[in-house]
Amino acid sequence: MTQQRRYPDMWVDPEDDPREAETNARGEKAVLAEYLDHYRKTLEMKCDGLDAEQLARRSVPPSTMSLLGLVRHMAAVEHSWFQRQMQAKDEPRLFGKNEDRDADFNEAVADQAVVDEAFATWREQIAAADAFYEGVDDLGATVDLDGHEVEIRDIVVHMIEEYARHCGHADLLRECIDGRTGQ
């Protein structure tokens, strides 16, 4: 039985929202981390309670976008920026993206093993990114991206933007699946 909510038009009642912090973050590094975590949790909420078929359901042909594809994509994005770029790890891109740049979406199929792998990989990449970020003392430190020096803060802001954009996609995908809308 579904628990009654005070605000049935909202995803969750405000007091039950896992994205709401008990205290406000202070300082640039903590604020950026809080925003990034907020959008990560938002994507997870949009996928909550769906089965493999629903998660893999495509948006509008010919697009291959799906909620499962978004989770795979964000795992690959976390890996690319935090591991491959900021830490200069020489690792292949996740989900076969070296061979097919859209493999994260194209191979997001309605198979529970694919779903389990996607969420496990995404959570592993978040943990690795958070561990790296925790050790960053200077957000103004730069990394070399193809001959251009880019500040770590700029990459973190880009990650927030990437999640925010895709959470908008997730809102629409979820509404098409079962009518639930985001907050």
Side-chain angles (χ1 to χ4, degrees):
M1 178 166 177
T2 304
Q3 179 183 352
Q4 286 290 93
R5 292 191 315 271
R6 287 188 307 132
Y7 302 99
D9 61 323
M10 297 177 75
W11 197 262
V12 295
D13 285 336
E15 63 272 10
D16 297 328
D17 194 331
R19 299 168 299 179
E20 296 302 318
E22 303 237 345
T23 61
N24 290 330
R26 300 277 188 230
E28 180 184 23
K29 184 178 176 184
V31 168
L32 292 175
E34 188 173 277
Y35 270 90
L36 184 55
D37 187 55
H38 175 90
Y39 283 113
R40 288 168 171 164
K41 287 177 183 172
T42 298
L43 180 59
E44 188 165 23
M45 288 173 70
K46 301 305 173 187
C47 298
D48 186 50
L50 298 177
D51 62 27
E53 184 281 322
Q54 292 168 314
L55 287 166
R57 195 176 296 169
R58 308 296 187 192
S59 58
V60 179
S63 175
T64 59
M65 188 178 291
S66 66
L67 287 168
L68 179 57
L70 287 174
V71 170
R72 289 167 51 96
H73 176 68
M74 292 313 301
V77 170
E78 295 264 4
H79 176 256
S80 182
W81 284 110
F82 284 100
Q83 304 296 318
R84 298 179 76 237
Q85 301 295 330
M86 285 198 268
Q87 297 180 69
K89 291 184 178 177
D90 185 22
E91 299 178 350
R93 296 173 72 194
L94 294 181
F95 303 115
K97 286 179 67 71
N98 284 346
E99 295 77 38
D100 173 6
R101 61 178 261 173
D102 290 326
D104 41 1
F105 291 103
N106 294 338
E107 297 173 13
V109 296
D111 178 326
Q112 191 59 48
V114 174
V115 171
D116 294 344
E117 177 196 25
F119 279 92
T121 301
W122 181 54
R123 289 183 180 110
E124 288 167 7
Q125 292 308 314
I126 289 171
D130 287 349
F132 169 76
Y133 188 71
E134 181 68 29
V136 171
D137 293 324
D138 179 9
L139 294 175
T142 60
V143 295
D144 179 44
L145 299 180
D146 300 321
H148 297 25
E149 294 296 312
V150 179
E151 289 184 351
I152 291 173
R153 81 170 39 83
D154 189 49
I155 295 170
V156 174
V157 169
H158 170 71
M159 287 296 301
I160 294 165
E161 177 272 333
E162 182 90 5
Y163 269 101
R165 184 165 46 91
H166 288 312
C167 282
H169 296 133
D171 277 340
L172 295 172
L173 288 162
R174 182 65 189 246
E175 187 172 6
C176 286
I177 292 168
D178 65 3
R180 290 192 70 186
T181 58
Q183 67 192 65

